[in-house]
Amino acid sequence: MNNDLQLAWLVPLFPLLGFLINGLLRNTLSKKLTGIIGSGTILLSFIVSVWMFIQVKNGNTHVANYFDFISVGSLSIPFAFQVDQLSSLFLLIITGVGFLIHVYSTSYMHEEKSNDFARYFSYLNLFVFSMLLLVLGANYVIMFIGWEGVGLCSYLLIGYWFKNTAFNNAAKKAFVMNRIGDLGFLIAVFWIINQFGTTTYSEIFRQLPGGVNTGILTGITLCLFVGAMGKSAQIPLYTWLPDAMAGPTPVSALIHAATMVTAGIYMIARSNIMYSLAPTTMSVVAVVGLATAILAATIALKQNDIKKVLAYSTVSQLGYMFLGLGVGAYTGSVFHVMTHAFFKALLFLGAGSVIHAMHHQQDMRYYGGLKKYMPVTHLTMLIGCLAIAGIPPFSGFFSKDEILVAAYAHSPILYYIGLGGALMTAFYMFRMYAMTFMGTHRSDLHHHHPHESPMEMTVPLIILAILAAGAGFLGIPELFKADSHWLSGFLEPVFKQSNTILSEHHVSHSTEWILLALSVGLIIAMIVWAVRKFSKYQLLEEAATGFGKVLENKWYVDELYDAVIVKPVLGLGSFFNTVIEKSGIDKAVNGVGRLVQFGSRKFRLVQSGNVGNYVLMMVVSIILLIWMVFYLKF
Amino acid sequence: MPINYYIYLAVILFCIGVTGVLTRRNAIIIFMCIELMLNAVNLLLVAFSKMHHARALVADANTTVGTEAQLFVFFIMVVAAAEVSVGLAIIVMMYRNVHNVDINFLNRLKN
Amino acid sequence: MNITQLLFWFLSVVSVFSAIMVITRKNPVYSVLYLIIAFFAISGHYILMNAQFLAIVNIIVYAGAIMVLFLFVLMLMNLNKESEPAKNKYLVWSGAVAGGLLMFVIIAALHTGEVEQVNGITKGNIGLIKDLGVSLFSEYVVPFEISSILFLSAMVGAVIIGKKEKAKHS
Amino acid sequence: MLLLLLILIPFLAGTLVFFLPTPAIVKSVAFIASLASLAIVLYAISLPHNHAMVSYSTSWIGALNSRFSLAFDGAGKITSLLTAVSFPIIFLATWKNTYKNANQFYGLMLLTMAGLMGVFLATDCLLFYFFWELALVPAYFLCSTWGGERRIPVSFKFFIYTFVGSLMMLIGIIYLYNKTPDQSFAWSSFTRAVLTPKEQAFFFWFFFVAFAIKMPIFPFHTWQPDTYEQSPTATTMVLSGIMVKMGVFAVIRWLLPLFPQMSTNMAPLVITLSVIGMLYASLIAMRQDDLKRLVAYSSIAHIGLMCAALFVKNQSGYEGVLIQMFNHGINIIGLWIVIDLIEQQTGIRKMSQLGGLATKAPTLAIMLVVVALANIALPLTNGFVGEFLMFNGLFQYNIWYAVIAGISIILAAVYTLGMIQKVFYGESNEALVVKDLRSNESLALSLIIIMIVAFGIFPKPLLQLTQQGLNGIISFAVK
Amino acid sequence: MNLIIFSGLLGVVMMFCGLFIKNNRTISYIAIAAMLFLLLVNTIEFTTGNGFFTIKAAAGLLQPSKYGLLVNEILLVAGILYFVLSGRDIEKVGVHVADYYALIFFVFAGIGIATSYTSLLMLFLGIEIISIPLYILTGADKLNLKSNEASLKYFLMGSFSTGLMLMGIALIYGATGSFAVFKMNIAETPVTYNMVAGMLLLLVSMAFKVSAAPFHFWTPDVYDGAPTVFTSFMATIVKVAAFIAFIRVFEGSYSSLNKKWQLVIAIIIAATLLIGNITAVFQQSVKRMLAYSSIAQAGFMLFGLFAFNDLARQGIVLYAAAYSFATIGIFSVLIKMDDHTFEGFNGFAKKEPLLAGLLTVFVLSLAGIPLTAGFFSKYFMIAGALSTGGTYLWLIILAMLCAAISVYYYFRIIQAMYFKTGEAEHTAVSVPFKLTLVLVAVLVIVLGVMPQVLLQYIYF
């Protein structure tokens, strides 16, 4: 209890305070104060996180119990935080990137009314709070609290401009799809309780391996993975993420690129031991991840909305992370989470800067030639694109390569398909880059005066660009220098058990060199092709045809879901409402009443008012009674 | 005579009375049929009275067993007389109002 | 077949026959007359069973007083014609069938019982006026007195019902 | 003695109120009486479990060996607390509503409260039945007198429906009474009634039907949406917040201990019905345009879960139900308050005609969102704890029930968010005149929200409250 | 005994009052006083166990029992309430006010017999003494054709049922050689076919008197046609007395023939409940509805006959009180209404909140809602029936469903009074009337909360 890390509660506390202050005083605070409170609380959290990270790096990990959250019979779920390598790393990403994005937001959202502005920051702070809960939780229930909390904040922020019905629908869709995943998560939690009698990570993992049979573990992990599918936008629950771009761009950067969507990866990394013991799930994860990566990449090829491109790119990158998890490259996935957080946040914020400059025009077809108007944004975006495309020495190269090599070690087919995705990534990113910054401007300059964004926006861009460029060096492959993978060493305590279970196969250095050369070469070729093709892009009002159209329409997946799930469910609702409820059950209930009334109308006719009839009926009754008593043997 | 004969006779008379009640519409005749039913009962009671008396005589020559039934018949007659006076009064009242003694003539109370 | 039996059968046939006539005659006056015959036949049965008191009372009260009252009312109402409207055929038939069925059922029910052969049904003298009188004014004085209430109420009733009311009470 | 007061205070106050002249005095008396009850409940909770003050027994009907006995056990504590907490809030929230013949309205409300308290405290089966009916009659009058257009047939259907159920229960009560070893109506004697398995199977349903109608469980639920729609909102709050809990409570207090074996045997059937009801009601709720009906169907779904969790017969399920009884009561009252405000201010309940209220009434919007989120059991709201435990209980019983029932979580999100969206978001309809909350309403809603958050983060007090009485139930349930 | 003698005498007194006193109101007061006197003498007999007269000759014919006397008490209280509440309306029926009272007192003499007879002879006389005045009272509104019709129907069918009863008695006599009720106990006499047939016919005729289906046909028409004041009397006090008579007949004999009789009675109960309740649903006239409801209530009371155990006996007493008080209360208000249909009650609560409230109490009692006497009376009946075992569960379920149906038509009064708008036209009522009605309501509620107030007297 005397451990310094007991103070972990401070980390989520600050954003919570920020949320409360901004939320309750939204009508009185000035925008400036709101911004300071909103960003400042995250900064404080970041500082504490850094301090904790240092503690952890020095080998101090801790599970901090605060109070009994739920305690029923033998089941006890404490409100507890776990500070270890994995969580402290995520804390840094969340608070660090989060802080930058808050700062960025103060400028980006400046046009909002002051109470809306405060509402925005309170949501954002609440999100950070939830995300921190998710990461810090020492058991699945606390994680679930954060898990649902971030979903809620995502919902609130996507629907931030609540007057727009489309945005609201997008928000609702995001929440509902997340809920589908959450159900899987919940079921998994119950299953865990059923099997382990606890939800605390350390106690569960202590019982593994051997505590529970593989079949059940497969079930649990699959259910958890369903949760991850929802949160991290994997097939089949990915469609909400592109729609989620309805929210303000910094939100997309923070929630739908850097942090929330990686919660699924965090969760699987956290539960790595269970996954390692369930090879079937691992394969499922890998296949789903890869499929998502490819599918999203293909769609991204034909999108014209700059945020949509980035959104599908995010889905695709998340797919890679799951591929990494699926083939056992936990460190690689976490590494990719980190680098992705940097470069994707960078890209989004850059896109935000562009959108800001273009007065909320998001269609790339109306961009072009912005290079000269927005030099900082251009440069930082270029770094981001290079990073995501996987050009050495930018960070994306290292992390993606680590995953792909691990996939190759697992099965070359995975590698080749993954590589195909990577090539597409390079292509569409530079398509975006070229369409935005190169060539000539395609919209009316008299009305739009593209201009560089203010410092609050560019400084975070620059910082992120530096991180995106340099973060790769935290995980230099053994290929280049032995034992230089710092991250791997740092995370080793977390994944140690899994690594021994999985007994990694290694790819020989020579093969790895060939693979590297192949991929980098092909990617450069792709970039060149994309830039050449799209730098001279001219606005043409021609509809896409054939396969292009399919891609433009996102493989018609939304339509498919609508037809296969949404419509039938609504139809079923209507059917129940009108047919079964009103004409069925209620009719039956009322029918009893009617039957009585009908009986009443008929019965009273017996009362004919005619004495002869009365007596006749009496006599008949007597006859029947006598007959009954004397002749019925009962 | 076997008691059964009396039973049968009484039942037959009784049921003829019932049939009369069922088949006629004239209130007075119906009333008469009811009187017939009562008489059938009286006959039966007297027969039973004699039967029980005869049975009791075997043991006791001075027995009064059976008296009660005959007195019962007496009371039935008393009641019948009272009933007749009231019944005929009612029928007359109705006749005064509607000039009819058909039981179906007044048929306002139904359902 | 001795004389008692002969008389029994004779009286039975007369009573049943006249009873049937009562319910079948269209003219109410005939019905009354047949009913009086039936009552006489029943009184004959009483005498046959040595119930003299009842036989006399039956003739005086029933055949005499009550039936005369009926007749009187009938005449008063001028109902001595065949004025009764035809009743619904089905109702008549179902009434007759029901009555017959009732008879059948009761007789059948009682028939299955053990037959009490009572010999000397004419023996004993409980039916004599003296015996009954003693009994009536000793053991049965309470119902006797109580039946006065009955008569009182019948009397009051006849007055209430029979008295012509001037106008409905406002 | 305290327990007797809990019944007497609302009863006497209710009777008194009938004769009071002005609405202001009437409201004050009603409010004070409900607050007094709350104070007593809180004090009673603070007393040790077997304190003399928290049990009461006196002879009642000697001929039947029925006693007027009250007790304060786990389930009773939580439900009487709910009653005592709800009524002041309801009175507060509807403080500014004007009712024709306010004295009668508040009198009947207080009488309902007395009946409810009686149901939750009685340990004598006949007494229980007595109060069971007693709570119903004033509610009927409330609905019929102050309700909407179709109030007369609707509330009548409600009355007859529940009355049929009660009568079935009465048969069961009498039959069981005959089978008790000492011919008494005491709870303890009833649990010792000797029944053959066939009788058990038979009479289980007699009781269950009564409770199922009250809760209501699919397919006995059709009275409920109509009644909620047509009743005056204050009454709807009582009906949905507390009165439906009578059914749940009765299952815990009576059905399970009385038929331990049968409730295990019948569990699959009952749970199946409940789960079907959950999905069914959720699907229908998605298609509702009327706010009140939507909430009504959502309530059916929630109650379905409670019923299912009761029959899984494990501790998690029980505690979940107990805690959820309280929380659901609070939440749904909150929802009704918001809906009442909307209806009063705009005169509209159809969601399709509303919209954009968030611009005009931001505070109201936020409060609705919080309450609605609690209603869909978002973590850190009070709804989560109960649902988590109930689903957990259901899962421990059978995974598939939990999975299928879980679908309702998703559907709940769909219709609840849909409601928020249609009412508060979107472009505002200029024609609608909406003022934001008034002081009494915001106070009531704030109290509710404080409870939502407080018990969401720190449910321990409630859990401890429920735990005490639970041991008894569990020992019977597994007998 | 006291009741029989004094009410006979008082009947005569009332007759003479008619001669000497022209003021109807005075006659009413005398009648109330007379009724109080009857209550007093009956109470003396009830508490001391001895009447003023010891008539040796009555030994085998009348045997007042505690139970019967208790019922007398209830009926006399009901009678007083009836006189106080409806005295004015009796005065309005016709000119022979004193005679009506006299007839009512004669009926009470009959009731005294019906609750204490031990011989079938007395049963017969008692029933007739009750019936004959009723034929007259039914026809008291002489110029009203409905009243004529009701009277004729009642008289013809009543006499017919008397015929059936006598046939039954004769057959029973044939089997037992005695008119003593206890002789009907099968332990004393072997079961013969005569006996069974006789009992069946007796059952039928008694079922007729209590208007149990399928021998109920006279009830709706007669109750509907009779002057409402006398309907009130017939439907409550007389009906209860008939029930007690009914039960006394079968008290001894029944248990031995249990199984068969139980089925027969079960069928009668089922038919009564169904016909009474279902037919009542569609009635438009409250008066006629109450007639059917009295059939339905008879169905419940018949459970006492079905069960024949302590619970049922207690239940009968309670039912007698609950049903009579509530029905008298409702009728007393109904008489005041100008329109006897349900619509006639529209908006009554607004005009007369107190009366409406009291009426609600009575209606709730009839419907068997707890806190009113009606609940416990039904409760005891059902409990009595259930304690005979589970064989006839179907009957009990049916009874409960019928109770639910009864709520339907009873509550129509409440709905009309409270929830519908209209001008419920009625004649003004006096303060004493209201106070008495309050007293009745208090009685109903007290019995509904603490039935032992009454029940303790059964075995004391």
Side-chain angles (χ1 to χ4, degrees), chain B residues 9-31:
Chain B
L9 176 61
V11 169
I12 288 166
L13 287 174
F14 186 83
C15 290
I16 290 170
V18 170
T19 312
V21 172
L22 289 175
T23 51
R24 300 305 293 261
R25 291 175 65 172
N26 186 324
I28 297 177
I29 295 187
I30 289 177
F31 194 18

Side-chain angles (χ1 to χ4, degrees), chain A residues 611 614-616 618-619 622, chain B residues 14 17-18 21 30-31 33-35 37-38 41 76 79 83, chain C residues 102, chain E residues 123-124 127-128 130-132 135 152-170 198-212 214-219 242:
Chain A
V611 179
Y614 295 171
V615 178
L616 180 64
M618 279 171 65
V619 170
I622 294 167
Chain B
F14 186 83
V18 170
V21 172
I30 289 177
F31 194 18
C33 293
I34 291 169
E35 293 301 326
M37 287 162 64
L38 296 186
V41 172
I76 290 175
V79 169
E83 227 169 51
Chain C
L102 180 68
Chain E
L123 167 68
F124 167 63
I127 291 291
E128 283 303 308
I130 292 173
S131 298
I132 287 177
Y135 302 150
L152 182 71
K153 280 180 176 171
Y154 193 13
F155 169 71
L156 287 178
M157 297 181 76
S159 316
F160 182 75
S161 91
T162 304
L164 293 177
M165 173 196 271
L166 289 172
M167 190 67 190
I169 291 174
M199 280 177 61
L200 203 62
L201 286 173
L202 195 55
L203 177 84
V204 166
S205 67
M206 291 312 295
F208 174 89
K209 293 292 176 201
V210 300
S211 62
F215 312 104
H216 67 284
F217 293 102
W218 61 278
T219 317

Side-chain angles (χ1 to χ4, degrees), chain B residues 52 83 87 97 108 110-111, chain E residues 128 142 148-149 173 288:
Chain B
H52 288 299
E83 227 169 51
N97 282 334
R108 294 165 180 230
K110 58 179 170 186
N111 295 336
Chain E
E128 283 303 308
K142 287 192 290 183
N148 286 185
E149 181 188 348
Y173 175 75
R288 206 167 167 82

Side-chain angles (χ1 to χ4, degrees), chain A residues 275-301:
Chain A
Y275 277 83
S276 302
L277 288 168
T280 320
T281 315
M282 291 288 272
S283 312
V284 172
V285 173
V287 170
V288 169
L290 190 57
T292 312
I294 299 300
L295 185 85
T298 57
I299 297 173
L301 291 175

Side-chain angles (χ1 to χ4, degrees), chain E residues 72 80 98 167 176 223 229 234-235 330 350 382:
Chain E
N72 286 349
I80 292 166
M167 190 67 190
T176 63
Y223 284 9
V229 250
M234 277 192 277
I330 294 179
K350 201 166 281 170
I382 297 297

Side-chain angles (χ1 to χ4, degrees), chain A residues 80 176 208 229 270 292 298 320 347 389 439 485-487 491 552:
Chain A
V176 171
L208 288 169
M229 280 175 184
R270 180 53 88 195
T292 312
T298 57
Y320 280 111
L347 285 167
H485 201 303
W486 175 83
L487 194 65
L491 290 174
E552 201 166 291

Side-chain angles (χ1 to χ4, degrees), chain D residues 2 40 85-86 179 286 300 324 339 343 376 385 389 449:
Chain D
L2 281 177
I40 292 173
V85 167
S86 302
K179 301 284 175 183
M286 286 168 58
I300 294 174
Q324 185 70 355
I339 290 170
E343 193 189 355
I376 58 174
V385 185
L389 288 173
I449 285 172

Side-chain angles (χ1 to χ4, degrees), chain E residues 27-314:
Chain E
I27 294 173
S28 290
Y29 290 144
I30 292 171
I32 292 168
M35 200 53 113
L36 281 168
F37 176 71
L38 280 186
L39 181 65
L40 179 72
V41 294
N42 194 66
T43 311
I44 290 168
E45 187 172 1
F46 179 57
T47 47
T48 61
N50 295 311
F52 296 155
F53 314 96
T54 41
I55 302 165
K56 277 190 193 136
L61 302 169
L62 293 170
Q63 189 65 57
S65 65
K66 280 279 172 208
Y67 190 74
L69 289 168
L70 180 60
V71 175
N72 286 349
E73 288 282 295
I74 293 168
L75 294 182
L76 287 167
V77 170
I80 292 166
L81 294 172
Y82 168 68
F83 276 3
V84 174
L85 290 173
S86 304
R88 294 257 180 115
D89 304 289
I90 295 176
E91 293 161 21
K92 285 178 191 162
V93 173
V95 292
H96 309 280
V97 178
D99 297 339
Y100 301 149
Y101 280 117
L103 288 177
I104 290 172
F105 278 101
F106 291 145
V107 171
F108 267 100
I111 289 171
I113 298 168
T115 54
S116 62
Y117 69 90
T118 49
S119 159
L120 293 176
L121 172 61
M122 295 315 288
L123 167 68
F124 167 63
L125 282 177
I127 291 291
E128 283 303 308
I129 292 176
I130 292 173
S131 298
I132 287 177
L134 289 182
Y135 302 150
I136 298 154
L137 290 177
T138 306
D141 195 356
K142 287 192 290 183
L143 297 178
N144 184 339
L145 292 184
K146 278 189 174 181
S147 177
N148 286 185
E149 181 188 348
S151 173
L152 182 71
K153 280 180 176 171
Y154 193 13
F155 169 71
L156 287 178
M157 297 181 76
S159 316
F160 182 75
S161 91
T162 304
L164 293 177
M165 173 196 271
L166 289 172
M167 190 67 190
I169 291 174
L171 287 172
I172 290 169
Y173 175 75
T176 63
S178 162
F179 293 111
V181 171
F182 71 87
K183 277 275 191 184
M184 287 164 65
N185 194 329
I186 261 56
E188 310 254 337
T189 341
V191 189
T192 61
Y193 290 87
N194 282 354
M195 179 76 180
V196 175
M199 280 177 61
L200 203 62
L201 286 173
L202 195 55
L203 177 84
V204 166
S205 67
M206 291 312 295
F208 174 89
K209 293 292 176 201
V210 300
S211 62
F215 312 104
H216 67 284
F217 293 102
W218 61 278
T219 317
D221 292 1
V222 171
Y223 284 9
D224 195 7
T228 315
V229 250
F230 298 134
T231 307
S232 168
F233 180 64
M234 277 192 277
T236 54
I237 297 170
V238 173
K239 177 167 258 185
V240 168
F243 250 104
I244 303 302
F246 197 173
I247 283 170
R248 283 184 75 89
V249 179
F250 291 96
E251 229 166 4
S253 61
Y254 178 73
S255 52
S256 39
L257 288 169
N258 210 332
K259 280 283 168 313
K260 266 187 185 181
W261 286 132
Q262 233 172 6
L263 184 63
V264 170
I265 292 176
I267 288 170
I268 290 177
I269 292 175
T272 311
L273 286 170
L274 277 175
I275 289 174
N277 283 302
I278 291 182
T279 321
V281 166
F282 210 74
Q283 298 303 322
Q284 297 308 314
S285 151
V286 175
K287 193 176 173 188
R288 206 167 167 82
M289 180 279 278
L290 283 171
Y292 281 107
S293 115
S294 86
I295 296 173
Q297 302 282 356
F300 265 102
M301 282 197 252
L302 279 171
F303 273 110
L305 204 69
F306 174 83
F308 264 129
N309 47 31
D310 282 349
L311 279 168
R313 294 161 128 275
Q314 296 173 356

